[in-house]
Amino acid sequence: MDLVPKMKCDRIWNHARLLTMINPSSVENGLIACRDGRIIYAGSASEAPAFDAPDIINCEGRWITPGLIDCHTHMVYAGNRAEEFEQRLAGVSYEAIARGGGGIISTMTATRAASDAELTAASLPRLDALMSEGVTTVEIKSGYGLSLDAEMKMLRVARGLADKRAVEITTTFLGAHAVPPEYFGCADDYIELVCSVMIPEIANAGLADSVDGFCEHIGFTPEQIERVFAAAKNYGLQVKLHAEQLSNSHGAALAARYKALSADHLEYLDDSGISAMAEAGTVAVVLPGAYYFTRETQPPPITKLRAKGIPMAIATDCNPGTSPLTSILLAMNMAATLFRMTIDECLAGVTRCAAQALGMQNKIGSLAVGKYCDLSIWNIERPAELVYQMGHNPLHARIWKGL
Ligand code: DI6
Ligand code: FE
């Protein structure tokens, strides 16, 4: 009989190297124990208590990171914009296409016409691609419906993906993405619909975890976005914002004033926006796929964000117009090569900081006791390989909530 009673758990992973994302982050000869889908131990095997585990997985020296998080996607949509890509290759700008009724509106038309089943079928391959690289949590925005029914359809489909795959889905209502054709020339009336009809209905149906907007000269003004934020707060929803992507509209400072979870893109962010974000604890989400695909030349002010200690997350922005990207690993590589983010920043950007951008830092984003046992297990010699390689997927296994 054992003198010390063993701790009961469902599963342990041993002979692993851990990147816990808690300081200090690396553990050689590490062990993780899981019970009821949560981590009950993550650390050095030699300091671990004795476990009674029915299932022991020998990781043979592989690295384990927290399950990766894609905290900004528009991956539920129908159709594609390959034709628009051709036009852009011929020299037409993204803004010109958007102003001409193409762009977001063309995806809106295809998305409105799609049934729930068609929209689900179109989205699953994108979700599968993300999951194949170790992603365990995905944020999905609406914003291609732009009517109550079509926005609700997008959010319902997004939530429904969680019944089809072993992944956590969080949803964001992005009604303020573009003005739909019915409201051309009366953007304020559309914003009124967003605030007084869409947000209440969507909040009451429990279809969204947060509310986002596109604050931009081709999107909505800060005044319009402020109305959306006020309505969101009224219904207990968190806010976030597409800010300073194409120009400086002072969206980040507005987001910070509403205690936004994140301000995203940020290529044209200025010093006052940075200070406001630092003070509010708003996460900077950088989207290098969109920067790359639109051939933007001004990178977000990484050095200043770093100096202010603002958490920086990295996401795919998976969308048909500006970032048709379904690789979180490539997003990390681009953040390093294009934005000069460090390896540690890139790894934190898709784990700890991405969790914070979703307000989920108590549940996911690090290998800490009490968090979901979401793990990505990698065939690599050192974590930098996850950032360094392009088009190679070293994932060995992916665990979501312990399974
Ligand atoms: N910024 C973007 O990059 C995407 N939306 C946004 O607000 C683009 C969406 C699209 O072109 O379909
Ligand atoms: Fe986006």
Side-chain angles (χ1 to χ4, degrees):
M1 208 182 85
D2 291 333
L3 294 178
V4 186
K6 289 185 173 177
M7 242 170 116
K8 279 221 173 302
C9 66
D10 300 325
R11 237 175 163 188
I12 69 174
W13 290 262
N14 63 14
H15 303 292
R17 290 184 275 179
L18 311 183
L19 197 67
T20 63
M21 302 315 300
I22 309 162
N23 288 331
S25 195
S26 312
V27 180
E28 291 290 328
N29 192 19
L31 178 150
I32 294 175
C34 167
R35 191 171 60 210
D36 298 329
R38 292 185 188 261
I39 295 171
I40 60 168
Y41 181 85
S44 145
S46 61
E47 290 158 27
F51 285 105
D52 176 7
D55 196 8
I56 298 174
I57 294 146
N58 182 343
C59 295
E60 299 169 327
R62 292 186 179 89
W63 279 92
I64 302 183
T65 64
L68 306 188
I69 301 164
D70 193 348
C71 68
H72 179 142
T73 85
H74 311 245
M75 54 148 272
V76 167
Y77 62 84
N80 72 66
R81 308 246 287 275
E83 227 173 277
E84 173 183 317
F85 180 52
E86 281 192 86
Q87 279 180 276
R88 281 165 56 192
L89 288 173
V92 188
S93 75
Y94 178 71
E95 275 108 326
I97 290 167
R99 287 188 196 287
I104 293 173
I105 296 305
S106 73
T107 300
M108 178 210 76
T109 305
T111 302
R112 283 185 178 179
S115 66
D116 283 45
E118 287 165 341
L119 210 42
T120 302
S123 306
L124 277 173
R126 299 190 271 266
L127 180 59
D128 287 338
L130 292 173
M131 290 172 63
S132 75
E133 291 186 343
V135 170
T136 50
T137 301
V138 181
E139 185 258 18
I140 303 176
K141 302 174 196 298
S142 65
Y144 291 120
L146 309 179
S147 69
L148 177 64
D149 283 358
E151 287 290 302
M152 287 182 88
K153 174 176 67 181
M154 285 188 74
L155 293 166
R156 198 167 56 234
V157 164
R159 283 248 200 267
L161 295 174
D163 302 327
K164 303 214 174 289
R165 295 292 187 270
V167 67
E168 186 85 10
I169 302 287
T170 119
T171 57
T172 300
F173 170 57
L174 178 57
H177 193 196
V179 180
E182 311 83 85
Y183 286 87
F184 278 176
C186 10
D188 281 322
D189 295 342
Y190 177 63
I191 289 295
E192 181 56 28
L193 178 77
V194 166
C195 296
S196 60
V197 178
M198 293 192 190
I199 288 177
E201 293 270 352
I202 285 164
N204 289 336
L207 280 173
D209 303 300
S210 57
V211 173
D212 194 350
F214 187 29
C215 188
E216 193 58 64
H217 56 86
I218 58 163
F220 295 93
T221 65
E223 293 71 29
Q224 290 165 336
I225 295 295
E226 183 154 12
R227 291 169 61 196
V228 174
F229 280 179
K233 291 274 164 173
N234 250 333
Y235 283 87
L237 296 170
Q238 307 255 38
V239 300
K240 55 179 80 172
L241 191 63
H242 284 70
E244 275 70 275
Q245 178 184 5
L246 309 169
S247 63
N248 183 6
S249 307
H250 306 285
L254 168 65
R257 234 179 333 112
Y258 278 82
K259 294 275 175 281
L261 288 170
S262 69
D264 304 34
H265 286 286
L266 303 175
E267 279 80 349
Y268 291 85
L269 179 64
D270 65 11
D271 290 352
S272 63
I274 293 173
S275 299
M277 286 176 66
E279 214 161 288
T282 297
V283 176
V285 178
V286 300
L287 304 163
Y291 172 93
Y292 163 83
F293 196 72
T294 61
R295 305 184 77 227
E296 176 57 63
T297 52
Q298 174 156 325
I302 299 297
T303 309
K304 289 178 175 177
L305 290 166
R306 180 185 291 136
K308 286 274 189 184
I310 295 174
M312 294 183 278
I314 300 164
T316 62
D317 196 16
C318 174
N319 79 68
T322 61
S323 189
L325 172 65
T326 50
S327 169
I328 193 78
L329 296 178
L330 186 54
M332 289 162 82
N333 175 272
M334 288 177 173
T337 51
L338 301 174
F339 296 167
R340 312 315 290 163
M341 287 172 69
T342 67
I343 298 294
D344 286 350
E345 285 169 344
C346 290
L347 293 165
V350 297
T351 56
R352 192 182 62 236
C353 299
Q356 199 179 334
L358 298 176
M360 296 175 78
Q361 61 271 28
N362 296 328
K363 293 183 188 158
I364 55 173
S366 65
L367 302 179
V369 171
K371 292 202 180 178
Y372 292 144
C373 190
D374 293 355
L375 315 175
S376 299
I377 307 177
W378 305 98
N379 289 315
I380 52 173
E381 280 306 314
R382 47 194 319 211
E385 288 171 47
L386 297 179
V387 182
Y388 152 76
Q389 288 178 304
M390 297 187 284
H392 174 67
N393 181 3
L395 189 77
H396 169 72
R398 174 191 171 282
I399 308 296
W400 180 65
K401 293 187 177 171
L403 293 171

